[in-house]
């Protein structure tokens, strides 16, 4: 159980590595929503991938149609937040 939590935390951290620092700080709540809603999707679709590598982000992108509704909504909300900060 602890291993799963650590792996999921690392996976979400890996997804956030490509973001500017200010976006990460401003989007703490959307990151929590992704962590909470996408854990099962990571285990189901991307568990064989290193949570620290770019493979996880690519896996989520490739499997977007297969993501759970909650995960898909959390990612969409997160991306909308990024779009709102790109003009700053």
């Amino acid at each position: 159980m602890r291993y799963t939590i650590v792996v999921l935390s690392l996976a979400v951290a890996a997804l956030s590595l490509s973001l500017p620092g200010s976006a990460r700080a401003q989007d703490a709540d959307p990151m929590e929503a992704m962590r909470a809603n996408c854990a099962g999707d990571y285990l189901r679709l991307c568990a064989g991938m290193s949570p620290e590598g770019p493979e996880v982000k690519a896996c989520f992108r490739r499997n977007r149609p297969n993501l759970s509704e909650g995960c898909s909504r959390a990612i969409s909300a997160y991306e909308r937040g990024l779009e709102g900060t790109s003009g700053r």
Side-chain angles (χ1 to χ4, degrees), residues 34 37-39 41 60 67-76:
M34 283 197 310
N37 288 289
C38 297
D41 296 272
F60 271 82
L67 297 177
S68 66
E69 184 179 336
C71 181
S72 186
R73 276 187 280 139
I75 291 173
S76 293

Side-chain angles (χ1 to χ4, degrees), residues 12-85:
V12 172
L15 288 172
S16 70
L17 288 177
S18 64
L19 303 174
S22 61
R24 281 192 298 255
Q26 292 172 356
D27 295 330
D29 291 337
M31 284 298 285
E32 282 300 317
M34 283 197 310
R35 184 175 285 122
N37 288 289
C38 297
D41 296 272
Y42 170 76
L43 291 174
R44 182 171 52 93
L45 300 167
C46 309
M49 299 174 184
S50 170
E52 299 169 359
E55 301 88 9
V56 173
K57 186 175 181 179
C59 177
F60 271 82
R61 188 176 298 124
R62 182 176 58 251
N63 286 293
R64 188 74 181 253
N66 303 316
L67 297 177
S68 66
E69 184 179 336
C71 181
S72 186
R73 276 187 280 139
I75 291 173
S76 293
Y78 180 76
E79 290 172 341
R80 282 192 304 273
L82 290 178
E83 291 170 3
T85 61

